Amino acid sequence: MSRRQPELCRVLAIDPTVRGFGFAVFEGPEKLIDWGVTQSRRNKNEWSLRKARNLLDGYKPDVLVVENPNGNGSRRCERVCCLIEEISGIARHRRIRVRTFSRGDIRDAFAKLGASTKYEIAAVISRWLPELKTSMPHYRKPWMAEDARVNIFDAAALGLTYFFEVGDT
Amino acid sequence: MAQRKLGNYLRMHRKKLGLNQGQVAFLLGCKSGAIVCRYERATQEPNLRTALAFEVIYSKPIREIFAGIYDEVEKEVSRRARRLAKKLSKEKRAEGGRRLQMDKEPHS
């Protein structure tokens, strides 16, 4: 089976959050075609699965990229682990390749660009993809809750980590 | 499986400009953003004037905004063009053959 060049790949990256998930859809490492956050206060997993199905059916990606909840640096609750498994199952059922990366893998990929914290990674991504500049969250102080827009950057970081890895091989 | 482009990239261009569907609908002269949603989801195709309006709003050519549809149309037209070329080539050969035969016949 021939390997498709990364710049021709359509990649959907999903990063689950407290109430839903952030997502980013790429056609190559420099072309972001959709991004956003979806949230629900009730039946979070059911809502998230419905939205994930819509994205998978609408964009028909070549690859789904999600976090590896059991990997190095990942601390995810049981609900999110189940959600990631179910979304991966839906993708595999649609014959979409699934790739997972841990938080540690993402940090290692962006460490080469001088970014280690979530905010620094978001800043690097907003320079790489200027359309995300307006979504850039404020610098978070220890007593502040996490801005929901961070999840867009978390998803974008997952997608870009995939392209970094594929580009390096 | 060959990589196919999306039917349209309306949502991408709208988000890059930081507009919502209601605002784009206003620019198109439509009443609500629901129609823009239908265009973006490709459940409805815009007419020519609306497609040209999108080109004006996003400052991108139609073939780039509706890249997937453009590729499909290009394939269909190319296929028909090849069939037409074959047909014309056959007719030309037949025409040439008839002329040759006429030249060989003795003049009365």
Side-chain angles (χ1 to χ4, degrees):
Chain A
M1 185 176 74
S2 62
R3 203 158 185 187
R4 187 166 306 126
Q5 295 167 26
E7 58 269 17
L8 300 178
C9 235
R10 189 173 303 137
V11 171
L12 168 63
I14 289 180
D15 178 65
T17 71
V18 171
R19 294 199 193 106
F21 60 80
F23 68 92
V25 187
F26 290 87
E27 267 184 6
E30 291 173 8
K31 190 174 178 186
L32 183 63
I33 60 175
D34 198 3
W35 63 94
V37 177
T38 175
Q39 295 186 53
S40 171
R41 288 186 182 270
R42 287 189 229 164
N43 302 322
K44 299 173 203 176
N45 276 20
E46 199 182 303
W47 174 267
S48 299
L49 286 173
R50 200 173 349 142
K51 287 291 180 183
R53 268 192 214 100
N54 288 345
L55 287 171
L56 289 167
D57 293 339
Y59 288 109
K60 295 186 175 54
D62 299 303
V63 183
L64 170 72
V65 183
V66 288
E67 185 183 339
N68 176 3
N70 303 314
N72 171 33
S74 296
R75 300 176 299 173
R76 292 292 203 163
C77 66
E78 200 180 318
R79 181 190 71 79
V80 167
C81 292
C82 287
L83 179 60
I84 291 173
E85 260 316 304
E86 289 188 55
I87 293 175
S88 304
I90 293 170
R92 287 192 191 99
H93 183 70
R94 284 161 171 70
R95 296 178 189 264
I96 296 170
R97 216 159 24 110
V98 179
R99 285 298 310 271
T100 59
F101 296 99
S102 65
R103 292 295 318 168
D105 294 332
I106 297 169
R107 265 191 241 113
D108 291 341
F110 280 86
K112 297 172 193 169
L113 302 169
S116 52
T117 65
K118 268 196 177 189
Y119 182 81
E120 287 170 1
I121 291 172
V124 165
I125 292 172
S126 70
R127 283 195 296 271
W128 180 262
L129 301 167
E131 54 266 48
L132 292 182
K133 263 201 182 116
T134 52
S135 302
M136 185 71 190
H138 297 297
Y139 183 75
R140 183 186 172 199
K141 302 267 169 56
W143 59 88
M144 293 163 88
E146 191 171 80
D147 191 324
R149 291 173 295 177
V150 163
N151 300 116
I152 298 173
F153 291 89
D154 288 345
L158 272 170
L160 289 173
T161 303
Y162 169 80
F163 286 114
F164 292 161
E165 176 167 314
V166 169
D168 284 345
T169 56
Chain B
M1 185 177 71
Q3 171 69 13
R4 285 177 59 187
K5 292 178 188 159
L6 292 177
N8 69 67
Y9 290 87
L10 290 168
R11 182 165 292 172
M12 178 184 83
H13 291 298
R14 175 176 61 79
K15 283 189 165 186
K16 279 188 174 175
L17 280 185
L19 298 172
N20 61 37
Q21 290 173 341
Q23 290 163 340
V24 172
F26 177 79
L27 291 172
L28 293 174
C30 302
K31 286 184 182 168
S32 90
I35 184 82
V36 176
C37 180
R38 288 197 292 274
Y39 292 148
E40 288 182 0
R41 287 165 164 249
T43 53
Q44 187 174 336
E45 272 183 17
N47 59 28
L48 177 60
R49 289 187 80 91
T50 306
L52 290 171
F54 276 123
E55 181 170 318
V56 172
I57 295 167
Y58 298 138
S59 303
K60 296 280 178 191
I62 291 178
R63 63 182 285 178
E64 202 177 305
I65 299 173
F66 297 94
I69 298 175
Y70 180 86
D71 283 354
E72 279 173 25
V73 167
E74 191 184 28
K75 271 189 196 147
E76 286 165 14
V77 171
S78 301
R79 197 168 48 234
R80 284 187 221 116
R82 283 193 294 273
R83 278 171 57 189
L84 181 61
K86 267 187 193 167
K87 186 179 168 190
L88 290 174
S89 168
K90 265 187 196 171
E91 284 174 4
K92 209 173 178 181
R93 280 200 297 270
E95 176 75 9
R98 275 201 294 275
R99 280 211 187 123
L100 202 60
Q101 230 169 350
M102 279 170 64
D103 287 344
K104 280 184 181 169
E105 277 171 12
H107 297 287
S108 53

